[in-house]
């Protein structure tokens, strides 16, 4: 108990202790004062006496060691435990501690300069929404009907979503050949397109009263041009880049502002099933297993590779670009239980990331953590660390009862979509049990993307669902 008293406030006075009344004041002999007390204790003796006291204040340096050894979540709990701790943790001198916590959880890529005493505000703004998954039932907005997609939602992509404002944007594509751009705004805010003919959101499950944080998706743009289903999207909002691939064996480059196709890249003989980008190089994967490498500057194909084992039956399922400045593309193919690793500076590939027991349907690399996730027909998700020798598998997530069709990994959080009609959110540091299971789709969930408090999913039931926590 003395340690807790010292931790809670080093400046607290000596706690008042009751003295047991003596039966007779004269019966107790008077205590003799130490010989050196009359002349004053030396500095060493005073320090020794303070160290023996249970209520002596802990040095500030020790406080900082305790805070630095705490996880980001525990740091928030310690800050909320008492005012002295909060005051100390809010001290601008400890802003480096919040920066370390932020980078540990999400990485350090932030646009613009971060000012003094700003990391704490940035961390807390994201954390209180981020940590609510699994503790609160999410609000669900369902988009379907004649103003939404008329077929299976094959792919989705989220843009940047404001943590406090609740505003953001997203893209979705379908096998009906359409690509839609959506905007999110807080319910009750002036930015909601009330009365818009494209407003097709229907609110389900838990509702928030009084202008709460229920997101109202509004369709603001639409893109048509593919002669058939659209199977893949690549969206980089900060670069104003939107690419799509489809059944018509083409890759299309779109202007977000003008809602028109700026260029069509032709060369595939089969469907374009997946897209990935590394710098100014875009890679497209076809249903015949062939990969084509395109230069965004010249809009020309600079290289063609595949199919694996010279067998066109190895259709391309998914592509991902490794982050960390590495010019590496990974591909997953039908009939292969491992990934192929392609160096952009070479033509050949090498087999890597062995461990799945069946076809790999989805892969995603997180640019901040440098980790890789893969989802398979064997109903598992595996986490890989490409920085380790032999590409070590660092974790296996089990829980889905159907094949994993899509997944996204950001920091320590992962969301997977499956043929079992559910989505599961995971903390990859605790792989045994998912943080949350999202149920509501009536058919296979084909695609997913997420940010701190929002999950966007598309399904074979033709619906697009937005799951958010308040």
């Amino acid at each position: 108990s003395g340690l807790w008293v010292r931790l809670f406030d080093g400046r607290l006075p000596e706690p008042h202790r009751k003295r047991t009344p003596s039966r007779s004041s004269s019966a107790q002999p008077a205590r003799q004062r130490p010989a050196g007390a009359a002349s004053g204790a030396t500095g060493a003796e005073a320090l020794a006496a303070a160290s023996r006291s249970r209520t002596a204040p802990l040095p500030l340096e020790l406080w900082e060691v305790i805070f630095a050894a705490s996880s980001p979540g525990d740091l928030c709990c310690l800050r909320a435990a008492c005012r002295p701790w909060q005051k100390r943790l809010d001290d601008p001198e400890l802003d480096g501690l919040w920066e370390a916590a932020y980078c540990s959880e999400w990485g350090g890529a932030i646009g613009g300069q971060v000012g003094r005493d700003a990391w704490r505000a940035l961390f807390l703004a994201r954390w209180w929404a981020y940590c609510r998954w699994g503790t609160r039932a999410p609000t669900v907005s369902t988009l379907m009907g004649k103003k939404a997609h008329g077929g299976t939602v094959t792919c989705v992509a989220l843009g940047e979503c404001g943590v406090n404002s609740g505003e953001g944007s997203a893209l979705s594509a379908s096998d009906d050949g359409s690509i839609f751009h959506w905007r999110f705004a807080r319910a009750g805010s002036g930015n909601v397109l009330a009365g818009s003919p494209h407003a097709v959101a229907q609110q389900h499950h838990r509702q928030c009263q009084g202008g709460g944080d229920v997101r109202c998706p509004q369709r603001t743009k639409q893109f048509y041009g593919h002669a058939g289903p659209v199977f893949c999207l690549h969206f980089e909002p900060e670069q104003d880049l939107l690419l799509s691939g489809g059944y018509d064996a083409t890759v299309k480059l779109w202007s977000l502002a003008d809602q028109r196709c700026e260029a069509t890249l032709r060369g595939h003989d089969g469907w374009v099933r997946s897209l990935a980008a590394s710098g100014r190089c875009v890679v497209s994967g076809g249903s015949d297993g062939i990969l084509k490498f395109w230069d965004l500057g010249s809009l020309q194909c600079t290289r063609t590779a595949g199919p694996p084992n010279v067998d066109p039956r190895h259709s391309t399922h998914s592509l991902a670009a490794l982050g960390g400045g590495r010019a590496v593309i990974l591909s997953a193919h039908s009939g292969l239980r491992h990934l192929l690793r392609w160096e952009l500076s070479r033509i050949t590939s090498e087999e890597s990331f062995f461990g799945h027991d069946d076809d790999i349907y989805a892969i995603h690399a997180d640019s901040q953590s440098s980790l890789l996730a893969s989802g398979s027909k064997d109903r598992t998700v595996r986490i890989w660390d490409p920085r380790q020798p032999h590409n070590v598998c660092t974790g296996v997530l089990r829980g889905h009862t159907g094949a994993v069709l899509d997944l996204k990994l950001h920091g320590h959080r992962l969301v997977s979509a499956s043929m079992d009609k559910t989505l599961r959110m995971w903390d990859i540091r605790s792989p045994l049990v998912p943080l949350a299971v999202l149920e509501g789709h009536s058919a296979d969930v084909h695609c997913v993307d997420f940010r701190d408090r929002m999950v966007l999913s598309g399904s074979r039931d033709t619906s697009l669902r937005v799951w958010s926590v308040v």
Side-chain angles (χ1 to χ4, degrees), residues 232-254:
C232 52
L233 290 174
H234 180 77
F235 182 38
E236 295 183 16
E238 64 279 1
Q239 303 294 333
D240 197 32
L241 177 65
L242 172 59
L243 293 161
S244 62
Y247 177 82
D248 57 4
T250 65
V251 177
K252 290 185 178 290
L253 174 64
W254 301 90

Side-chain angles (χ1 to χ4, degrees), residues 10-85:
R11 293 171 295 180
L12 283 174
E14 181 84 12
H16 177 73
R17 295 192 179 95
K18 288 185 178 181
R19 294 184 178 181
T20 305
S22 57
R23 296 181 180 178
S24 172
S25 58
S26 59
Q28 299 292 336
R31 292 185 178 180
Q32 295 183 355
R33 301 178 65 185
S39 58
T42 65
E45 292 172 340
L47 182 61
S51 65
R52 289 192 296 269
S53 173
R54 298 177 64 194
T55 57
L58 289 177
L60 293 180
E61 293 78 5
L62 183 55
W63 284 34
E64 295 175 10
V65 170
I66 295 172
F67 293 148
S70 304
S71 67
D74 292 338
L75 202 62
C76 292
C77 294
L78 291 172
R79 182 178 178 273
C82 65
R83 290 183 179 179
W85 281 359

Side-chain angles (χ1 to χ4, degrees), residues 90-144:
D90 290 352
D91 192 322
E93 295 180 358
L94 292 187
D95 202 46
L97 191 66
W98 293 105
E99 179 182 0
Y102 189 99
C103 295
S104 170
E105 202 67 34
W106 300 293
I110 297 178
Q113 297 294 325
V114 178
R116 178 176 172 83
D117 197 26
W119 284 105
R120 174 179 57 84
L122 285 171
F123 179 87
L124 294 177
R126 293 191 68 175
W127 177 259
W128 293 122
Y130 187 72
C131 69
R132 286 171 180 160
W133 285 105
T135 62
R136 298 191 181 190
T139 299
V140 186
S141 298
T142 304
L143 293 88
M144 61 190 308

Side-chain angles (χ1 to χ4, degrees), residues 102 129 167 263 265 272 316 369 455:
Y102 189 99
E167 298 182 354
L265 312 181
V272 178
T316 308
S369 66
V455 175

Side-chain angles (χ1 to χ4, degrees), residues 137-333:
T139 299
V140 186
S141 298
T142 304
L143 293 88
M144 61 190 308
K146 66 178 183 178
K147 294 295 184 180
H149 289 294
T152 298
V153 182
T154 55
C155 42
V156 295
L158 270 173
E160 292 302 319
C161 299
V163 175
N164 295 322
S165 66
E167 298 182 354
S169 63
L171 285 161
S172 61
S174 169
D175 64 5
D176 63 5
S178 62
I179 302 172
F180 291 156
H181 179 274
W182 305 89
R183 195 183 75 178
F184 306 96
R186 292 176 64 124
S189 71
N191 293 327
V192 176
L193 304 179
S196 167
H198 300 305
V200 295
Q202 297 174 337
Q203 302 298 332
H204 295 280
H205 304 288
R206 187 167 59 87
Q207 297 285 338
C208 294
Q209 303 296 328
D213 199 17
V214 181
R215 281 161 176 76
C216 303
Q218 310 292 324
R219 197 180 92 190
T220 58
K221 299 176 182 177
Q222 45 275 326
F223 305 84
Y224 293 97
H226 280 285
V230 181
F231 291 133
C232 52
L233 290 174
H234 180 77
F235 182 38
E236 295 183 16
E238 64 279 1
Q239 303 294 333
D240 197 32
L241 177 65
L242 172 59
L243 293 161
S244 62
Y247 177 82
D248 57 4
T250 65
V251 177
K252 290 185 178 290
L253 174 64
W254 301 90
S255 168
L256 288 173
D258 299 333
Q259 303 181 50
R260 64 180 179 84
C261 178
E262 292 188 331
T264 299
L265 312 181
R266 306 179 187 276
H268 280 282
D269 294 326
W271 315 339
V272 178
R273 298 286 302 272
S274 185
L275 290 168
S278 178
R280 299 298 292 174
C281 177
V282 173
V283 184
S284 56
S287 58
D288 54 5
I290 290 179
L291 271 59
K292 288 189 173 290
F293 298 76
W294 309 85
D295 180 78
L296 282 179
S298 63
L299 298 178
Q300 298 296 318
C301 179
T302 60
R303 175 178 147 202
T304 299
N309 304 324
V310 199
D311 188 346
R313 292 176 297 178
H314 293 309
S315 174
T316 308
H317 282 318
S318 185
L319 296 170
L322 288 183
R326 291 167 290 183
V328 175
I329 297 291
L330 300 173
S331 62
H333 297 265

